[in-house]
Amino acid sequence: MPLSEHEQRMLDQLEHQLRTEDPRLATQMADTRRDPVPVKRVVLGAVLAVVGLLVIVIGVANQLVPVGVLGALVVGAGIFLVTTRPRGGRAAGADRPGPGRGGRPGGGRPEGGRPGGDFMGRLERRWDARREQGD
């Protein structure tokens, strides 16, 4: 449900106040956008972790230290896959505007040079434009 004009104005004022009082916190809040981890990556990581645990059990049962170490590495790789996000690729940037997708010319980079622009920056520009219209 979209915000009313009054609610949007209040939100803009709160965000502007946050940026002026604590710019470091505002920057941290703006940079916390996380893309979801792809399901295939989670499933592969979980399978690797389970296989690694089985390899550890086999290594311990047969008193083979190198096999146990190999199992621990496989578990670590599985956990790494589950807890990290892929870099680049289609999944990470599919929702960002760019050339040919109705975005800005030059790959969707605003005057600040940051890809796609940041949320707080867009809100601040909107706030400044509204203040200029009111004067």
Side-chain angles (χ1 to χ4, degrees):
M1 181 173 167
L3 299 175
S4 70
E5 286 184 36
H6 175 71
E7 292 169 333
Q8 187 64 46
R9 261 192 317 256
M10 294 297 292
L11 178 62
D12 291 342
Q13 288 174 353
L14 287 171
E15 289 172 348
H16 182 70
Q17 185 178 5
L18 172 66
R19 283 188 73 86
T20 56
E21 289 178 4
D22 195 352
R24 196 167 125 201
L25 175 64
T27 303
Q28 284 178 332
M29 297 289 285
D31 293 340
T32 58
R33 185 179 150 258
R34 295 270 192 179
D35 295 326
V37 178
V39 174
K40 286 182 182 179
R41 192 174 176 97
V42 172
V43 170
L44 179 62
V47 168
L48 274 175
V50 169
V51 168
L53 286 173
L54 290 174
V55 171
I56 290 173
V57 169
I58 290 170
V60 170
N62 294 322
Q63 296 179 353
L64 298 172
V65 174
V67 174
V69 170
L70 178 66
L73 290 174
V74 173
V75 169
I79 292 171
F80 178 78
L81 277 175
V82 170
T83 58
T84 59
R85 293 178 174 14
R87 292 184 181 189
R90 190 172 58 96
D95 60 337
R96 293 189 183 130
R101 290 186 288 200
R104 291 183 179 95
R109 292 184 186 263
E111 52 277 317
R114 293 183 66 177
D118 62 325
F119 177 72
M120 294 300 287
R122 285 193 311 268
L123 286 176
E124 188 173 358
R125 286 189 293 276
R126 286 175 59 194
W127 172 259
D128 291 340
R130 286 181 182 171
R131 289 184 83 185
E132 290 173 5
Q133 288 176 355
D135 292 340

